[in-house]
């Protein structure tokens, strides 16, 4: 079985999601080729070549691929599909953008957000906000799959795959990149952080998120938020954890002032240890929390920060 994995990267650095998706791709059996599509993306390709399980790295380098627009990515991937039994990509914002177009042009059903592989044609994926697991068997000649990377361990760095250039079709001209507004932070990225601390509607305002940030700085944590906090304008959209936001599975997840709506739980309930702080002892978040503290967050967070300082953090 031949598998093509589309890498997630910023042209210079390979995203950890690629290493996790590679573990899923390798579980299908057969040879796995990693496609690094971008512009001046050789550093990302070299990083991909070091991943264990990669049989070959294909580099598609062209100006129109710099931002991995759906139209340009599909125009690149679809002609390659005949050589592969499965095409995979991480279920990230980028992968969710171009993979449906690839599936549509190939006239196959996309299998989205898989969390397990039962066989080369049979996959597991969450439905109903993660409250049930669906087993899907595909008869399509080419499987088009996105991978929920929090469900798989990252592949190691002991590989030495050959790197080859691949042909890139001319620019389609259907769309163009207009710009991006990116929030910059010295903290870890949400989906790859070992520790995440998130705030909800109980934070009451965006200014109060500084209380979370002080604790996050002590723990080396990423800062997230519930949809309620994002919709209220407390923090930007890229903070959102949940069914319609980012899916995380850190070693430690601290939910502060978050009631625990099912949509939020879908994005974080696979965390190894969950700690909840909420003044409402009936909050649903306590049903899945490993540790719960019924307290006023405006008192608990400064106390937690103080205790972390005493511990030398």
């Amino acid at each position: 079985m031949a598998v093509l994995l589309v890498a997630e990267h910023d042209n210079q650095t390979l995203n950890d999601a690629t290493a996790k998706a590679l573990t899923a791709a390798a579980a299908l059996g057969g040879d796995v080729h990693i496609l690094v599509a971008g512009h001046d993306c050789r550093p990302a390709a070299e990083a991909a070549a070091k991943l264990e399980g990669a049989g070959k790295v294909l580099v598609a380098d062209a100006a129109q691929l710099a931002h991995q627009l759906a139209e340009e990515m599909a125009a690149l991937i679809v002609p390659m599909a005949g050589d592969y039994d499965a095409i995979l990509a991480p279920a990230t914002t980028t992968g969710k953008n171009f993979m449906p177009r690839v599936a549509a042009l190939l006239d196959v059903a996309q299998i989205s957000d898989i969390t397990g592989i039962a066989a080369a044609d049979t996959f597991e994926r969450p439905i109903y906000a993660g409250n049930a697991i669906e087993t899907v068997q595909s008869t399509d000649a080419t499987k088009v799959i996105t991978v929920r990377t929090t469900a798989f361990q990252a592949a190691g760095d002991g590989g030495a795959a050959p790197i080859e250039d691949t042909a890139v079709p001319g620019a389609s001209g259907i769309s163009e990149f207009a710009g991006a507004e990116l929030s910059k932070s010295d903290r870890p990225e949400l989906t790859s952080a070992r520790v995440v601390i998130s705030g909800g509607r109980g934070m009451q305002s965006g200014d109060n998120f500084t209380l979370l940030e002080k604790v996050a700085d002590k723990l080396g944590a990423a800062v997230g938020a519930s949809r309620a906090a994002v919709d209220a304008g407390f923090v930007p959209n890229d903070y959102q954890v949940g069914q319609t936001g980012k899916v995380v599975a850190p070693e430690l997840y601290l939910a502060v002032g978050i009631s625990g709506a099912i949509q939020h739980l879908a994005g974080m309930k696979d965390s190894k240890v969950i700690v909840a702080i909420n003044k409402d002892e009936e909050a649903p978040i306590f049903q899945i929390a490993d540790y719960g503290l019924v307290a006023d967050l405006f008192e608990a967070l400064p106390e937690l920060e103080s205790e972390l300082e005493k511990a030398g953090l």
Side-chain angles (χ1 to χ4, degrees), residues 6-293:
V6 185
E8 176 95 2
H9 61 88
D10 63 2
N11 292 311
Q12 298 299 306
T13 306
L14 196 68
N15 191 300
D16 186 55
T18 303
K20 294 178 178 179
L22 176 57
T23 299
L28 292 173
D31 202 18
V32 180
H33 295 173
I34 299 178
L35 173 63
V36 178
H39 186 46
D40 295 332
C41 55
R42 195 75 180 185
E46 292 172 351
K50 295 177 182 178
L51 295 177
E52 291 181 356
K56 183 191 297 184
V57 174
L58 303 174
V59 180
D61 194 326
Q64 70 266 25
L65 297 173
H67 302 287
Q68 295 194 331
L69 300 178
E71 293 80 2
E72 304 299 345
M73 291 294 290
L76 169 68
I77 296 169
V78 170
M80 303 172 67
D83 296 328
Y84 297 96
D85 300 292
I87 302 172
L88 279 71
T92 59
T93 302
T94 303
K96 290 177 180 179
N97 187 34
F98 65 76
M99 287 294 274
R101 188 176 183 89
V102 171
L105 291 172
L106 292 175
D107 195 23
V108 300
Q110 177 175 307
I111 306 169
S112 303
D113 226 21
I114 67 165
T115 56
I117 297 172
D121 64 349
T122 308
F123 313 92
E124 295 177 352
R125 60 183 298 273
I127 57 174
Y128 302 130
N131 285 298
I133 300 298
E134 179 182 50
T135 300
V136 180
Q137 186 174 37
S138 172
T139 58
D140 289 326
T142 302
K143 280 62 170 181
V144 176
I145 302 166
T146 60
V147 179
R148 178 173 289 199
T149 53
T150 55
F152 297 90
Q153 293 292 323
D157 287 331
I163 300 175
E164 297 181 4
D165 291 327
T166 190
V168 179
S172 67
I174 299 174
S175 63
E176 63 180 25
F177 179 76
E181 294 183 7
L182 304 175
S183 58
K184 295 183 178 180
S185 174
D186 293 330
R187 298 188 184 91
E189 202 276 327
L190 260 176
T191 56
S192 60
R194 292 178 60 252
V195 180
V196 173
I197 180 168
S198 291
R201 193 193 305 274
M203 297 302 298
Q204 297 183 7
S205 74
D207 292 340
N208 290 330
F209 266 74
T210 56
L211 297 173
L212 291 184
E213 292 166 355
K214 290 177 181 178
V215 174
D217 290 340
K218 299 289 185 186
L219 296 173
V223 176
S226 68
R227 178 170 180 171
V230 171
D231 286 350
F234 296 171
V235 289
N237 289 340
D238 56 355
Y239 279 51
Q240 185 177 329
V241 173
Q243 185 178 14
T244 54
K246 295 180 179 178
V247 176
V248 301
E251 294 179 16
L252 173 63
Y253 187 89
L254 288 86
V256 182
I258 294 175
S259 64
I262 188 172
Q263 291 85 356
H264 184 75
L265 301 186
M268 47 66 73
K269 66 180 182 180
D270 289 332
S271 303
K272 307 303 182 290
V273 177
I274 299 172
V275 178
I277 301 175
N278 200 299
K279 66 181 181 181
D280 178 9
E281 62 183 19
E282 301 297 329
I285 191 71
F286 288 126
Q287 296 178 12
I288 68 161
D290 298 288
Y291 301 94
L293 175 62

Side-chain angles (χ1 to χ4, degrees), residues 215 218-219 303-313:
V215 174
K218 299 289 185 186
L219 296 173
E303 290 175 2
L304 176 57
E305 181 190 358
S306 176
E307 291 299 321
L308 291 172
E309 284 183 357
K310 292 178 183 177
L313 297 176

